[in-house]
Amino acid sequence: MDTVTRPRILVVGAGFAGVQCVRRLERKLAPDEADVTLVTPYSYQLYLPLLPQVASGVLTPQSIALSLRRSKKYRTRILPGGAIGVDLKSKVCVVRTLTEKIVDEPYDYIVLAPGSVTRTFDIPGLTEHAFGMKTLAEAAYIRDHVISQLDLADASDDPAEQAARLQFVVVGGGYAGTETAACLQRLTHAAVQRYPRLDPGLIKWHLIDIAPRLMPELGEKLGRSAQEILKRRGIQVSLGVSIDKAGAEEVTFTDGRVVPTHTLIWTAGVVASPLIATLGADTVRGRLAVTAEMTLPGHDGVFALGDSAAVPDLAKGEEGAVCPPTAQHAMRQGKRVADNVIAALRGQPLLPYVHRDLGLVVDLGGKDAVSKPLGIEMRGVLAQAVARGYHWSALRTNVAKTRVMTNWLLNAVAGDDFVRTGFQARKPARLKDFEFTDSYLTPEQVRARVGDTAADQP
């Protein structure tokens, strides 16, 4: 009896792009039409734009971790692990599972949506002493760490130690850095009222960026408004400045200033996942060069999207323009890629991705925000309503929407709490400890492994 094997669709990454793709495949494919597998180290989708609110305690971690297993109708097989290499010729993806076992996952169609990792530079001490803001664990750890600095400063009789523990440095003037500094500053400002031995004037937040303007995507006026809000709160914004070196108890800026601190948060941009380098394919500034249909030229059945792909931005009408690595584009690309995978499966023509940017929202906590929906500049409470309304509507499940709205209402009525959970106490939690960027294979290692595995098979 002949066994009929269904086409195997492998989706790498459970971010905005990967999850949207999987959900659409499940809705539009018949159960016997193809097998779908999702490679991800976590069985949830992280709503990344709200991560600073988790760090500041406005939202609980669970509220922005959207379970991939909540609905009984989902039939996708989840492979718990991270993709560390892809052999395009053999159509095999190499996966390191949660138990550190390395397995080869064959595919007929692959959707590459591994996302991005924190962009770092060759700065002495950076990866050893800086915190990131890219994962749920990092956000939860940073909250504990910031509160612990208040506790330790309150318990210390050394003025120099107090001053160092109450200074905080955030590097990166983009959305992540600006929102992180704004939200955490509000947390410390409220928390210090519960520490009568501490002088509130000792708490200092520094936001620095090498760029000449804060969040240039917002435009000059809104960027200046955001900067004025931060300065009004006491956050010292330094532009045209970066880090020269980082230590356990101090940070040296490129302008020569030395800031005593135990807290360095690095949010200076992202780069495509190191997985892309294992393919040996053409890239654009590190992102995989793909067509407007999000296919990889010269390789049948290979699709790429999201932060790791340089998807042409046809809506701009500019030659060479690519879509920015935002959730807005990733979600819509996920749907279009799913449609194109199905079209390829059924022998139908593929469609290009076209989406006009809907605008930008920046939540600075409390009643402060700046937003630019559809090009309309907004500030204050109205901008805050637009920002939170957009994030709330973008949450994929009703459970997540309920949790987030409940957290917002509780925080508005009861205020902040300053509980330090301590669940990660005494564990390393710097940049080098979370993103595992040294675990990927080289293209040569991928080919050698897949070739050896194939040779061993009868």
Side-chain angles (χ1 to χ4, degrees), residues 194-212:
R194 311 296 176 90
Y195 295 83
R197 295 180 69 248
L198 293 181
D199 178 5
L202 290 177
I203 297 180
K204 296 179 181 178
W205 281 87
H206 301 264
L207 175 61
I208 70 172
D209 193 275
I210 196 65

Side-chain angles (χ1 to χ4, degrees), residues 285-334:
R285 295 183 180 179
R287 301 167 72 185
L288 197 61
V290 297
T291 67
E293 292 77 21
M294 291 171 284
T295 61
L296 184 62
H299 298 277
D300 292 336
V302 180
F303 299 80
L305 67 164
D307 291 7
S308 288
V311 179
D313 193 348
L314 300 183
K316 277 192 174 181
E318 301 174 7
E319 186 176 352
V322 297
C323 297
T326 63
Q328 181 183 151
H329 281 288
M331 292 169 68
R332 289 166 175 81
Q333 289 171 6

Side-chain angles (χ1 to χ4, degrees), residues 145-169 188 192 195-206 249 259-263:
H145 172 80
V146 168
I147 295 175
S148 72
Q149 298 312 298
L150 297 177
D151 289 340
L152 291 168
D154 183 63
S156 176
D157 294 321
D158 182 353
E161 181 186 358
Q162 277 194 339
R165 294 198 179 278
L166 297 179
Q167 288 208 84
F168 308 89
V169 178
T188 55
V192 77
Y195 295 83
R197 295 180 69 248
L198 293 181
D199 178 5
L202 290 177
I203 297 180
K204 296 179 181 178
W205 281 87
H206 301 264
E249 298 182 2
V259 177
T261 181
H262 293 259
T263 308

Side-chain angles (χ1 to χ4, degrees), residues 369-451:
V370 289
S371 301
K372 197 176 182 180
L374 302 175
I376 303 172
E377 296 187 352
M378 296 180 179
R379 301 167 180 80
V381 177
L382 182 58
Q384 179 67 282
V386 171
R388 294 201 171 183
Y390 173 79
H391 290 314
W392 186 83
S393 64
L395 291 166
R396 185 171 48 80
T397 67
N398 289 330
V399 172
K401 290 180 179 180
T402 301
R403 284 179 175 151
V404 167
M405 183 59 72
T406 301
N407 285 173
W408 280 339
L409 292 173
L410 182 61
N411 182 261
V413 173
D416 298 292
D417 73 80
F418 316 108
V419 175
R420 177 163 51 89
T421 62
F423 74 95
Q424 289 193 100
R426 301 182 183 275
K427 292 184 179 180
R430 301 306 196 269
L431 277 170
K432 65 183 180 66
D433 301 310
F434 279 99
E435 299 192 37
F436 308 106
T437 52
D438 58 349
S439 64
Y440 293 84
L441 304 179
T442 65
E444 293 75 22
Q445 289 173 325
V446 173
R447 287 193 293 269
R449 173 182 170 76
V450 174

Side-chain angles (χ1 to χ4, degrees), residues 237-277:
V237 180
S238 301
L239 300 175
V241 177
S242 188
I243 295 296
D244 185 54
K245 61 181 179 180
E249 298 182 2
E250 66 178 28
V251 172
T252 304
F253 293 177
T254 53
D255 61 5
R257 281 180 290 166
V258 178
V259 177
T261 181
H262 293 259
T263 308
L264 171 61
I265 303 174
W266 181 268
T267 65
V270 297
V271 294
S273 166
L275 178 67
I276 298 304

